[in-house]
Amino acid sequence: MKIAVAGGTGVAGRYVVEALRARGHEPVVLSRAKGVDLLNGTGLEAALAGAEGVVDGANVTTMRKSVAVDFFDRAGRNLVTAAERAGVRHLVTLSIVGVDRVRNPYYAGKLRQEEIVRGGAVPWTILRATQFHEFAGQVLSGVPGPIAAVPKAPVQPIAVREVGEALADLVLGQPQDMAGELAGPRIESLVDMARALIAAGGARRRPVLPMYFPGGMSAGGLLPTGPGPRGTQTFADWLGRQKASASV
């Protein structure tokens, strides 16, 4: 089966591609490097010809609401329109647990993406996943200065590989509309994750200052609210693997 993967070279997309190949299918990467531009639609029609499914893991790195909304609006509209024209039977879109509860500029873009998928003519599944194990490192890298202000927030992080495998499984099945929220095996403290990452040498050594963040994040807005699939790799397991890889 030919499956197109938007963002197929990205953090989650590369694992989708890997999982599809392992299952004997033909993943086609939609990226600028492959001559496909989601923002203006260049190359989409040719890339989707003959595709039975599409996984959308495309992303933009920004904390500006206008940039996020513009990216996901344009990319989402172009992808849904091209998929409909190509006769794609199933569109699977990766979203974020808590995207509708936590006030965040980036999340506004993801919500717009979800709206476009729901309103399109292509049968769809939206998978909301919790933050990846890499989240603590991303937070630390975005905080300059000698002290790292980290949100006091409970999270339930998941291995990105497990997210990629879940997306591959979904696109090969029947459309579900909203899939069960995908989360990691246990709830963690983001502050403790940041401290553990620093102690393991995975981030610049400096004191961590726990901070209350408004907008729902510190109140548990990033946690799943109902039953759904759960990953198996804990943050501690992931961190141990990172340390082992770095020492080789």
Side-chain angles (χ1 to χ4, degrees):
M1 188 183 298
K2 178 179 177 180
I3 306 291
V5 183
T9 59
V11 175
R14 60 193 178 99
Y15 288 113
V16 178
V17 170
E18 183 180 296
L20 288 170
R21 285 200 180 115
R23 289 158 173 75
H25 298 281
E26 179 192 354
V28 175
V29 174
L30 306 182
S31 69
R32 287 182 179 178
K34 300 293 184 178
V36 179
D37 191 329
L38 293 176
L39 292 180
N40 60 27
T42 301
L44 262 178
E45 183 176 346
L48 293 183
E52 295 190 46
V54 174
V55 176
D56 187 3
N59 191 33
V60 61
T61 302
T62 183
M63 282 303 293
R64 292 177 55 193
K65 179 179 178 180
S66 60
V67 174
V69 171
D70 178 69
F71 175 86
F72 287 112
D73 182 89
R74 287 200 285 157
R77 287 181 182 278
N78 286 334
L79 187 59
V80 168
T81 299
E84 181 182 356
R85 289 174 178 168
V88 169
R89 67 165 187 84
H90 193 186
L91 168 62
V92 176
T93 300
L94 176 60
S95 192
I96 305 168
V97 168
V99 72
D100 54 347
R101 300 191 306 273
V102 174
R103 293 194 299 275
N104 178 288
Y106 175 79
Y107 286 8
K110 293 298 289 183
L111 282 173
R112 181 63 187 134
Q113 180 187 38
E114 288 191 2
E115 291 173 1
I116 291 169
V117 170
R118 289 192 186 97
V122 181
W124 55 272
T125 300
I126 292 174
L127 174 65
R128 289 180 175 176
T130 53
Q131 306 293 333
F132 305 149
H133 290 316
E134 290 84 353
F135 184 47
Q138 294 168 348
V139 171
L140 289 171
S141 66
V143 181
I147 297 176
V150 175
K152 291 195 293 184
V155 293
Q156 198 164 335
I158 187 167
V160 64
R161 179 183 292 277
E162 294 180 316
V163 175
E165 291 170 350
L167 290 167
D169 288 339
L170 285 171
V171 76
L172 296 174
Q174 295 300 312
Q176 300 181 24
D177 294 350
M178 295 300 297
E181 293 180 329
L182 176 62
R186 56 179 289 180
I187 296 175
E188 309 275 1
S189 159
L190 182 56
V191 170
D192 290 346
M193 288 169 62
R195 287 173 173 159
L197 185 64
I198 291 172
R204 178 162 61 93
R205 188 170 294 276
R206 52 184 167 154
V208 172
L209 176 64
M211 298 285 290
Y212 176 83
F213 270 56
M217 184 175 179
S218 290
L222 295 179
L223 297 177
T225 57
R230 298 293 179 258
T232 60
Q233 187 186 54
T234 66
F235 177 73
D237 291 339
W238 173 84
L239 189 56
R241 288 179 179 271
Q242 298 299 112
K243 290 175 63 178
S245 298
S247 62
V248 173

